[in-house]
Amino acid sequence: MVPRRLLLVGEGNFSFTASLINTMDPGVSITATCLQHPADLEEDPVTQENLQRLRERGIEVCFGVDCTQLAHALQAHDRDFDRIYFNFPHCGRKAGVAKNRELLAKFFQSCADVLAKEGEVHVALCRGQGGTPADKPQREWHNSWQVVAMAALGGFILSDVYPFSCEAVPGYKCTGYRSQAKSFHVEGALNHVFTQSLPFEDSQPRAFRVRLEDQWFSFTEPEGLAGKLNRRFLEASSCHPIKTINEKLIAELGKHFPFKRLKCSFPLLSRGGTSVLPPETGDLQPAFRINLHEDNSDSESLTGGITQEMEDVVLSFSGRALPKNPGRDGCRAAHEGICGQAQLCLRSSLLVHAEAVIHSPDFIPGSLHILSGPVFRKCHILPFTMPAFHETLFMLGLNTNGKDSCLMSLLGHLKESLDNLLTQTLLEGSNVSTSVEFVLQPNGKDFIIHVKSLNLGPDCTENLIIGTIVTSTAVTHKHQCFVFVSINLDLLAMLVYDISDWRILWTFDNRFLKRFTPGKIEPFKSYSLYPPRYVHDISFWLHEKKGFDELEFHTLARAVSQDTIISIQFLGRFQHPDTEQVSLCYRLTYQACDKALSSQLAAAMQSRFRKEIQRQLHVLLR
């Protein structure tokens, strides 16, 4: 975005403004401000010379402007700046880091009142003051100005950081506090560029409607999956990187096998159902439960939700592929089955649809049948473990006689396709190596797909599992066996695009998709750098008669924190010597990936979490 209106605050001798006007288009409007009053600057000839240049160019100059009260200093019609500059802020004299943090915090909160929606705030700091890894050397966090945490108080995230260059603005002479002769040391200084993030909103679950025959039902999305149902990343109109990865993978395998793509239904399932696959294949994961309620409203769909056609729901509930227009008897049977159940669940794997596919009369042995869609499962909070992701399932029917050679052919082409995808973003001459390995499971017939990479970051200490390969022989299909290849598209996209945090794949921030060129694979550049972390501990007594489910503890933490808890570390277990009551202690780390998470908001989330575990998990806080 080309800036049209600039605001400069904390100007000392106005040399930065005087230099900046020579680099800007004449159509750019510039307002320069300083804390001092005109009488304070009369004795400084450099300042007077710069002010004269600004007046000749028609630049607006305002005196006595407090950068922490910008809305009071600027008229309502004179706001919506595209860019705000604050070079080398300082409280003056021997103010410590705490006072300067307070200055930054109030400044960012003030900027929120006068900045345009897509505007930027540029803050130049001396070496080490910011406290981010961009500083060389980096100060300890407690001894820095904690600029990203202070910006979060105003709703800002750090989107870029680069060396501050005096040469880029010829004539600029940095002054000290209140234009004192002693200037700041700018060697190694950094310019920090902040942008506004989407706000954290009260997590009101979205409502959805489904129709069975002539009856409507409604349900709300589970709190732990807020914002993850019905995102439609894989639809034809989508330009999401997950879709790009899926299309490229299918195209690669399609060079070697005939294939047929199947339509994936909305992921509601009945709690029962059968499968041709054994339980150990992983199609039975901890699931999110859904409560259906009869809905007699006249509206076509609920706010923020969807309207789902009946035939898709029948496909999901029955677990078998039904005709596109099933007879009224089939619809009525499904309708009665749902009415008889108060609770459904979201599918945890596309493997639950495998039986329906291979029993279909349209199933063609020797051809890849491809099903792609979102799946949901309860899981512990870990760096590469996600409660919602997109899966592609390749299903291939083989004659038992030539099974081994066909299987090896499939594995070879699959490895080649994955290796090609994983090396597309590696820089020329890079020493980073990435390779795909198939690890045979103890049953002697199934595989796990490992990615071995040196580029997975410090949070990944082992090979990353991006999929599974399952072989099965169905009793109803003599002389035939089946191969099911399941790929986690979200993990694959992270590896291919060099995305370090899976959560950003689900962001509602439009800047994410703008980072990608449709159909092209390039390394992802984050727009939220070095987000601050906050650590909170919690300890509680367990109920004597009711058990403690750690998975539910993690699921509740994910829901209450709106996915901002990135780590839950078990610290210890204590048993009281007299009562034998057991206490557990955990450490929770909060960090957002795309929003401005302040220390106050993290503390509020922790407070709510403490209340919710008492209410839902029946524990007693210590």
Side-chain angles (χ1 to χ4, degrees):
M1 181 184 71
V2 179
R4 307 307 306 171
R5 302 191 69 239
L6 308 183
L7 173 66
L8 287 78
V9 304
E11 281 289 86
N13 56 18
F14 291 92
S15 62
F16 184 78
T17 309
S19 301
L20 193 65
I21 59 177
N22 297 324
T23 65
M24 288 291 173
D25 186 279
V28 176
S29 170
I30 298 178
T31 300
T33 72
C34 71
L35 183 62
Q36 300 95 309
H37 294 278
D40 302 324
L41 304 172
E42 289 179 349
E43 303 300 323
D44 186 353
V46 175
T47 301
Q48 294 303 316
E49 180 182 348
N50 289 328
L51 286 172
Q52 180 62 30
R53 291 177 59 192
L54 298 183
R55 294 189 188 101
E56 293 173 355
R57 291 287 295 268
I59 302 300
E60 182 180 2
V61 178
C62 301
F63 300 94
V65 175
D66 185 345
C67 70
T68 68
Q69 301 287 334
L70 293 175
H72 294 282
L74 302 169
Q75 299 296 324
H77 66 274
D78 194 25
R79 299 179 186 174
D80 291 335
F81 291 96
D82 298 313
R83 189 175 294 176
I84 299 175
Y85 289 90
F86 194 2
N87 292 327
F88 306 106
H90 200 280
C91 288
R93 299 179 179 88
K94 293 185 178 181
V97 292
K99 284 289 185 182
N100 286 302
R101 287 177 199 156
E102 183 180 359
L103 170 64
L104 286 177
K106 291 181 178 179
F107 163 68
F108 282 113
Q109 290 169 328
S110 180
C111 285
D113 298 325
V114 299
L115 190 69
K117 184 178 179 181
E118 297 183 2
E120 298 176 348
V121 178
H122 290 230
V123 179
L125 296 176
C126 297
R127 174 187 288 168
Q129 288 178 341
T132 72
D135 279 304
K136 306 297 181 186
Q138 182 183 1
R139 285 190 196 174
E140 292 184 359
W141 179 249
H142 70 273
N143 195 35
S144 74
W145 291 14
Q146 302 178 0
V147 64
V148 287
M150 298 306 104
L153 291 167
F156 290 93
I157 54 179
L158 179 63
S159 294
D160 198 6
V161 59
Y162 51 85
F164 181 88
S165 173
C166 290
E167 290 76 14
V169 277
Y172 171 58
K173 184 178 185 301
C174 175
T175 64
Y177 171 71
R178 286 181 177 266
S179 300
Q180 294 175 357
K182 186 178 180 180
S183 63
F184 296 116
H185 296 288
V186 298
E187 183 181 353
L190 294 175
N191 192 49
H192 303 77
V193 181
F194 294 90
T195 59
Q196 291 175 306
S197 82
L198 294 180
F200 280 95
E201 300 173 352
D202 292 335
S203 52
Q204 296 294 330
R206 295 178 302 162
F208 297 84
R209 302 181 78 209
V210 291
R211 187 175 65 190
L212 290 174
E213 202 179 32
D214 57 353
Q215 176 64 51
W216 286 97
F217 295 88
S218 65
F219 68 92
T220 55
E221 64 183 351
E223 193 175 11
L225 293 175
K228 294 182 175 63
L229 291 184
N230 198 43
R231 294 296 299 276
R232 303 180 179 181
F233 292 162
L234 296 177
E235 292 193 355
S237 58
S238 171
C239 57
H240 199 281
I242 289 177
K243 184 200 172 190
T244 300
I245 288 297
N246 194 37
E247 296 301 315
K248 287 185 175 292
L249 180 59
I250 292 173
E252 283 294 316
L253 287 177
K255 296 177 182 178
H256 309 285
F257 296 90
F259 66 91
K260 179 179 181 181
R261 302 185 69 161
L262 307 175
K263 182 180 179 182
C264 198
S265 61
F266 193 70
L268 278 178
L269 297 170
S270 64
R271 295 182 66 179
T274 59
S275 173
V276 297
L277 301 176
E280 64 268 16
T281 58
D283 60 329
L284 300 176
Q285 297 286 340
F288 286 93
R289 305 301 179 188
I290 297 292
N291 292 313
L292 281 188
H293 306 280
E294 288 192 19
D295 184 357
N296 297 315
S297 61
D298 296 328
S299 61
E300 279 300 307
S301 64
L302 303 181
T303 303
I306 62 162
T307 299
Q308 182 66 31
E309 292 300 325
M310 173 188 61
E311 52 264 32
D312 287 344
V313 175
V314 173
L315 171 64
S316 292
F317 292 157
S318 66
R320 289 179 177 272
L322 299 180
K324 185 173 183 181
N325 297 304
R328 292 187 60 85
D329 291 339
C331 295
R332 186 176 297 109
H335 180 277
E336 292 171 354
I338 297 307
C339 289
Q341 298 181 51
Q343 198 175 71
L344 305 174
C345 68
L346 295 169
R347 66 174 172 234
S348 58
S349 170
L350 293 182
L351 285 167
V352 298
H353 299 304
E355 182 185 11
V357 172
I358 65 175
H359 280 90
S360 169
D362 297 329
F363 185 79
I364 305 172
S367 294
L368 284 176
H369 293 68
I370 306 170
L371 195 62
S372 303
V375 295
F376 311 88
R377 58 183 63 171
K378 292 183 178 180
C379 58
H380 288 78
I381 294 178
L382 296 168
F384 296 95
T385 304
M386 50 201 72
F389 61 92
H390 298 79
E391 181 183 8
T392 278
L393 183 64
F394 298 95
M395 295 164 278
L396 182 65
L398 305 173
N399 291 324
T400 53
N401 292 334
K403 177 188 72 171
D404 292 341
S405 61
C406 291
L407 178 60
M408 289 300 103
S409 175
L410 174 62
L411 295 184
H413 292 307
L414 177 62
K415 175 176 170 52
E416 180 184 5
S417 301
L418 292 173
D419 281 335
N420 288 339
L421 282 173
L422 291 169
T423 56
Q424 285 195 31
T425 54
L426 293 181
L427 298 177
E428 186 176 351
S430 172
N431 293 324
V432 176
S433 62
T434 302
S435 62
V436 176
E437 298 177 349
F438 300 129
V439 179
L440 187 64
Q441 294 303 96
N443 63 13
K445 60 178 183 177
D446 299 332
F447 299 86
I448 285 179
I449 305 174
H450 275 179
V451 171
K452 187 175 182 179
S453 175
L454 300 178
N455 200 31
L456 296 177
D459 291 326
C460 187
T461 57
E462 299 178 357
N463 293 342
L464 195 62
I465 299 174
I466 65 166
T468 58
I469 301 170
V470 176
T471 58
S472 178
T473 303
V475 176
T476 55
H477 293 70
K478 293 183 178 180
H479 309 298
Q480 195 170 11
C481 71
F482 302 91
V483 180
F484 304 93
V485 178
S486 168
I487 300 292
N488 185 325
L489 293 175
D490 295 46
L491 285 178
L492 184 57
M494 288 174 64
L495 290 166
V496 171
Y497 287 99
D498 196 18
I499 296 173
S500 60
D501 195 321
W502 66 266
R503 296 173 299 170
I504 205 164
L505 294 169
W506 297 89
T507 184
F508 285 94
D509 196 317
N510 293 330
R511 286 176 287 185
F512 175 73
L513 291 182
K514 290 179 180 179
R515 291 291 198 273
F516 301 94
T517 303
K520 191 175 181 181
I521 294 181
E522 298 172 321
F524 172 70
K525 183 180 179 182
S526 178
Y527 52 87
S528 180
L529 305 176
Y530 316 124
R533 294 189 179 198
Y534 311 100
V535 177
H536 293 272
D537 292 348
I538 189 169
S539 59
F540 47 84
W541 297 104
L542 301 183
H543 194 283
E544 294 180 359
K545 297 181 179 179
K546 296 182 179 179
F548 176 71
D549 189 335
E550 191 173 65
L551 180 60
E552 290 300 325
F553 180 74
H554 280 244
T555 301
L556 184 58
R558 191 190 300 279
V560 171
S561 72
Q562 299 184 43
D563 259 334
T564 62
I565 292 180
I566 61 169
S567 170
I568 296 182
Q569 179 186 359
F570 177 66
L571 296 182
R573 178 183 184 274
F574 169 75
Q575 186 168 19
H576 196 283
D578 297 328
T579 64
E580 296 186 352
Q581 194 172 7
V582 175
S583 169
L584 303 179
C585 184
Y586 291 88
R587 174 160 293 169
L588 281 59
T589 302
Y590 291 77
Q591 185 183 48
C593 68
D594 65 332
K595 294 180 180 179
L597 179 64
S598 66
S599 57
Q600 288 92 329
L601 182 54
M605 290 177 174
Q606 178 74 3
S607 178
R608 186 191 165 204
F609 181 57
R610 289 170 61 87
K611 295 176 182 178
E612 289 299 317
I613 63 169
Q614 289 185 93
R615 186 177 68 87
Q616 298 190 39
L617 303 183
H618 311 290
V619 300
L620 180 63
L621 293 175
R622 293 188 65 179

